[in-house]
Amino acid sequence: MKVVFTSSEIYPFAKTGGLADIAGALPRKIASQGVKVFGFMPLYKTVDINKHGIIKIDASVDVSLNSRVYTFEVYKKIDDATFFFLKNDELFGRDYLYGPPEGDYPDNDIRFGAFSYAVMEFIKRENLNPDLIHVNDWQTALMPVLNYYKYHNHHVRTVITIHNLAYQGIFDKFAIERLSLGWDIFHMEALEYYDKVNFLKGGIVFSSAVTTVSPTYAKEITHPEYGYGLDGVLRKYSNKLYGILNGIDYDVWNPETDKHIYENYCVFTIQKKSINKRLFLKEVGLKDELKPLYIFIGRFAHQKGVDLIRDSIEEMSKMPANFAILGFGDKEYNDFFKSIEGKYENIFVKVDYNEALSRKMYAAADFLLMPSLFEPCGLNQMIAMRYGTLVIARETGGLKDTVEDISQPDGYGLLFKNPTKEEFLNALYRAVELYNNKKLFENLQKKVMEMDFSIDSTARKYIKLYESLKYSREVKI
Ligand code: ADP
């Protein structure tokens, strides 16, 4: 079987969040299980081609949109899978992937639309003849539309994975013209969404299958509360909607080999985790390693429950615990967290995106905070558990599928139901109690390290889905 896999970010080449982790690990794992995979990503200015051994090949693709031609040069890298990078500096030679903290680039429809056309053109020209095209989130959601509507490849099956329904790629209706599409697909059953163009909706309608990243989120998004206006469309297509739990790459996230942490360890040498804690506290100026260390790592976005942390900061500063917060995102949160840098003795704050520091934190911590308002899957909690760090999370989406509260017979984490300050703080206090029960705490640390949240089983489920689609009906709009 041959599969084209496209994503706007692929680890380790470009990453702003969990999408990159999955889009890096999944195609490689699928390829290692015998499927021929061609990955595609835009070549951003921020990609270090020398470091990654990405080389230019003798090919280019022209995309003509609304009487303008965009030329993409082609770069390539072969590891477990083959990755192609399409380069157009006018569109992708910028400082950010999607836009600065103040907001998205206004021409994101053209940027990712042109990229989607370029991939389709390249597939055709190079006779890649895929059996299936797998796209991810709104940025590449136009590909199933183009596959059906422009290229008429009705025998080529398409899968779209929704990593986060909150981001849909919504543009004014004249995007139809900017993207050389026809007004005949600007209607409620196709690309139109309240008189605008919605890329993700197009991807859902035109794909053979829609997946999302955890079974609970797959159910949640068919309800108005989590559906971000697309719950009706998802209910309509619920017979092709699947929830497949993401996983992490256990080679990339491994405390036994991680080069960034202070001291490597595994479940049999878990006492060395405390060396990581001691050295981390020292490095960032926190005191008293006998207190529990809570960490938060993530995008500073409303979704991540950052408001709960902000509103609870005074109480947290009085707790018998240390906190380390690493994040970067929306300006209002960046500004707030910058304003409290160094203000509290027991709270270390870093407003930054810093993978090396995040790894040290996963290794050093006792508890990870994930108070998300919604969480399609969440990877931080899986990474944390791989590093023997227990998880305090709000019971939603993928967090519900991966964390079991200690009040349950086999529980190994702390969950709270409602996103209120009281419930959040209560979970933090419960964690202090758990931490003071040394025997139980250490058993749970070992338990979570031995659990399996690896991407391998995710890859097996995707291959099964791809195979089942061979016999599915062609998409009919
Ligand atoms: P998202 O909704 O942002 O995709 P996920 O939990 O799925 O959330 O994935 C987050 C990924 O990004 C994890 O690998 C996490 O370690 C990483 N990450 C998020 N913010 C930062 C940061 N400020 N510095 C380093 N890594 C980060």
Side-chain angles (χ1 to χ4, degrees), residues 25-37 80-82 459 463:
L26 193 60
R28 292 181 171 98
K29 285 293 171 204
I30 287 172
S32 72
Q33 292 178 30
V35 176
K36 180 98 190 124
V37 183
D80 294 343
T82 303
I463 293 174

Side-chain angles (χ1 to χ4, degrees), residues 295 297 362 366-370 380-381 384 389-392:
I295 59 167
I297 298 168
Y362 285 122
D366 298 301
F367 297 101
L368 172 87
L369 302 176
M370 271 189 100
N380 296 27
Q381 81 277 19
T389 297
L390 302 190
V391 177
I392 302 173

Side-chain angles (χ1 to χ4, degrees), residues 182-200:
W183 288 105
D184 56 332
I185 55 166
F186 188 68
H187 60 82
M188 252 178 65
E189 301 299 322
L191 280 186
E192 194 228 357
Y193 178 81
Y194 298 106
D195 209 33
K196 293 190 169 172
V197 168
N198 185 321
F199 276 33
L200 190 68

Side-chain angles (χ1 to χ4, degrees), residues 261 265 273 276-277 358-365 387 389:
I261 67 177
Y265 60 97
K273 186 168 161 63
N276 285 283
K277 181 174 175 183
S358 77
R359 288 172 176 275
K360 288 179 180 177
M361 288 169 64
Y362 285 122
Y387 284 68
T389 297

